[in-house]
Amino acid sequence: MYFRQPRYFTDFRCVGGTCTNSCCVGWNISWMKDEIDKVKNDPNCSPELKALMESSFQPAPNGVENLFSITLDKRTARCPFLTDDKFCRIQRELGAEYLSIVCSVYPRDYIITDNECYRYCHMSCPAVMNKLLNDEKSADLVNAPVKQQERVIRGTPLMTDSRDLDKHPELKYRGELLELFYEIISDKKHSVETNIVLGALAAQTLSKVVESGAHERLPEVIKQVRDQIHDGANLKSVENIKPNYALKLAVAGKFLKQLSNFNLLVALTDSTGTLNIDLYNQGECTLAKTYKDKPWYLRNIALNLLLELGVPLKPNTKTIFENYAIYAMSFALIKLTAVSAAELGTRADERGIQNRGTDALLTKSAAIIIRSVSHNSKKIYELLDSLKKEKMFSPAYLALFVK
């Protein structure tokens, strides 16, 4: 038995107090009652920590029995157990085994298919982004043996049950579909943008097969799709698609506002408050120069995003193409914020911003989007609804956003 996972997974380590975007700030983390009691009732738990445990939780808003949420500091949005030097007081006082399952597992996650278990890490963690930005092969999928003592499943993995299969029989082929799209995006003969558009065309084809009631043909169609994406005429038509900057800035900018309260495009906004194409072009040039020695960085982000969004079948209630559209649009928004981060980096001093480098700005801005689309199903549905409402729910429109 083995795991399928990106190369970086085995070597991933939390950087603790040096983290630039702590997961202990801004998130309402869930704890089970037995996890809370384990800390409070331990004889080595100090009176101060016990009192903090008793005052720092509230019933979960979804009303699930025995589930509680950490009450964040209203001024700083920090977890009450986060020390001034950015370490967890619970872990420091009692050990990592006293953390909740959510705290101990993040940013690791899982996808379960009939035949395999995929492991990956969320890019909302800066340490994960650092791996993807600085190691060309970090996102390559490899097989890793399961150690005898290793717990295969911790937390709540993305998996398929019989009820899902009754409504969406295509879920039976989740593993084959995921491998197909990973293969498409991994192809280094073309730009990652071209590959994402090719993936959109493949997703549309596969969705039509399912909608026709012929889901059992998916393995056969997957083989056909592999041949079609390398067709010269088809490839040339995709590569010839020109970016539509006006559409990208106007509509994608609107989508970004739905996902975040932060103005992620501040560097692309001119003195009139308008998103400016010239500023976008400047940022794109700066980004290209910044990563000229790391041309793989966007591809690695795109590959990890496939796993985070469980493409092409998460949420289980959506079609293959609907899920892929969410993925393509999410990538377009990450790329847009990357351009903005690069432009912001060049003008940080004049805007009174401490410039820690493009890597840090990109990591921070991309993490904001990832926190929305990867950890919040409501935001995913809103993004899909927006594409449909704007009548831009097609491979052609996705191409204009991604290019």
Side-chain angles (χ1 to χ4, degrees):
M1 183 177 180
Y2 59 86
F3 293 111
R4 289 284 281 158
Q5 62 188 43
R7 285 186 183 276
Y8 69 73
F9 190 95
T10 301
D11 297 330
F12 171 79
R13 297 290 183 277
C14 174
V15 297
T18 63
C19 184
T20 58
N21 191 27
S22 175
C23 54
C24 301
V25 178
W27 279 0
N28 292 306
I29 304 301
S30 297
W31 279 61
M32 298 300 294
K33 185 179 183 301
D34 62 333
E35 294 173 332
I36 298 172
D37 290 343
K38 179 181 178 181
V39 176
K40 290 196 304 183
N41 298 334
D42 189 276
N44 295 315
C45 181
S46 68
E48 294 80 12
L49 178 56
K50 184 174 182 178
L52 199 56
M53 291 295 294
E54 290 175 341
S55 64
S56 298
F57 292 92
Q58 57 187 334
N62 55 11
V64 176
E65 187 177 2
N66 293 325
L67 186 66
F68 295 82
S69 296
I70 286 179
T71 305
L72 300 180
D73 184 291
K74 291 182 180 179
R75 295 173 294 106
T76 62
R78 289 166 62 98
C79 172
F81 305 106
L82 186 63
T83 63
D84 290 339
D85 56 354
K86 297 182 180 179
F87 280 92
C88 177
R89 180 168 183 168
I90 298 171
Q91 181 171 347
R92 178 170 282 175
E93 190 168 313
L94 297 175
E97 63 271 23
Y98 284 81
L99 295 173
S100 73
I101 193 69
V102 174
C103 293
S104 62
V105 170
Y106 175 83
R108 304 166 190 86
D109 216 332
Y110 305 83
I111 299 171
I112 309 297
T113 71
D114 286 344
N115 303 316
E116 292 173 313
C117 175
Y118 293 82
R119 300 195 298 188
Y120 62 94
C121 293
H122 290 278
M123 291 183 288
S124 48
C125 172
V128 176
M129 281 292 286
N130 183 59
K131 296 268 188 186
L132 295 171
L133 293 177
N134 293 290
D135 182 352
E136 181 176 6
K137 296 183 178 180
S138 59
D140 291 355
L141 276 185
V142 296
N143 296 336
V146 178
K147 299 177 183 177
Q148 189 173 1
Q149 296 82 14
E150 190 165 12
R151 292 177 65 189
V152 176
I153 304 301
R154 296 179 296 174
T156 305
L158 172 62
M159 58 194 304
T160 305
D161 63 26
S162 58
R163 291 170 299 178
D164 295 326
L165 284 172
D166 288 341
K167 295 180 180 178
H168 292 275
E170 68 272 21
L171 287 165
K172 177 181 178 182
Y173 304 102
R174 168 173 269 159
E176 292 93 326
L177 290 164
L178 176 57
E179 292 283 350
L180 170 68
F181 288 107
Y182 215 89
E183 179 184 323
I184 292 172
I185 305 303
S186 297
D187 190 349
K188 296 179 182 179
K189 295 191 296 294
H190 318 299
S191 71
V192 64
E193 293 87 354
T194 291
N195 288 344
I196 289 176
V197 179
L198 289 171
L201 294 170
Q204 186 181 56
T205 297
L206 293 162
S207 270
K208 288 180 178 178
V209 171
V210 175
E211 289 164 9
S212 71
H215 66 273
E216 293 292 350
R217 289 190 57 238
L218 280 176
E220 170 195 342
V221 177
I222 286 172
K223 293 179 181 178
Q224 294 173 359
V225 164
R226 281 195 168 96
D227 294 333
Q228 290 170 0
I229 60 175
H230 297 296
D231 177 79
N234 190 32
L235 178 61
K236 187 174 182 179
S237 65
V238 171
E239 289 182 330
N240 286 339
I241 296 174
K242 303 298 181 185
N244 186 321
Y245 296 115
L247 178 73
K248 184 192 294 281
L249 292 177
V251 179
K254 186 191 300 184
F255 290 171
L256 277 176
K257 289 180 181 179
Q258 291 179 204
L259 295 179
S260 171
N261 294 324
F262 297 97
N263 183 4
L264 298 175
L265 301 184
V266 59
L268 307 182
T269 306
D270 61 27
S271 58
T272 67
T274 304
L275 288 169
N276 189 289
I277 294 175
D278 291 336
L279 291 176
Y280 178 90
N281 288 331
Q282 287 177 197
E284 199 167 39
C285 289
T286 301
L287 194 66
K289 291 177 182 177
T290 301
Y291 290 102
K292 66 180 180 181
D293 296 325
K294 304 174 184 178
W296 65 80
Y297 82 104
L298 275 179
R299 190 183 309 277
N300 280 356
I301 289 173
L303 287 170
N304 208 74
L305 190 62
L306 275 172
L307 296 171
E308 292 204 43
L309 296 182
V311 173
L313 296 166
K314 178 188 176 184
N316 288 350
T317 57
K318 300 301 178 183
T319 69
I320 294 174
F321 183 70
E322 285 175 327
N323 280 287
Y324 193 90
I326 293 169
Y327 162 74
M329 196 65 218
S330 298
F331 172 82
L333 296 180
I334 291 174
K335 181 182 174 183
L336 184 56
T337 61
V339 171
S340 184
E343 178 61 14
L344 183 62
T346 64
R347 297 183 288 128
D349 291 338
E350 69 184 64
R351 287 177 175 264
I353 298 170
Q354 184 178 1
N355 186 6
R356 294 188 175 92
T358 301
D359 267 19
L361 288 168
L362 169 57
T363 298
K364 186 82 172 179
S365 55
I368 293 172
I369 296 174
I370 293 299
R371 283 192 177 195
S372 294
V373 299
S374 184
H375 301 284
N376 191 329
S377 58
K378 181 180 177 182
K379 294 291 185 181
I380 286 178
Y381 289 123
E382 289 176 358
L383 189 58
L384 181 61
D385 289 343
S386 295
L387 278 170
K388 293 181 177 180
K389 184 178 179 180
E390 298 287 344
K391 295 182 171 53
M392 296 175 177
F393 183 64
S394 70
Y397 274 111
L398 291 177
L400 295 178
F401 287 122
V402 169
K403 280 287 189 171

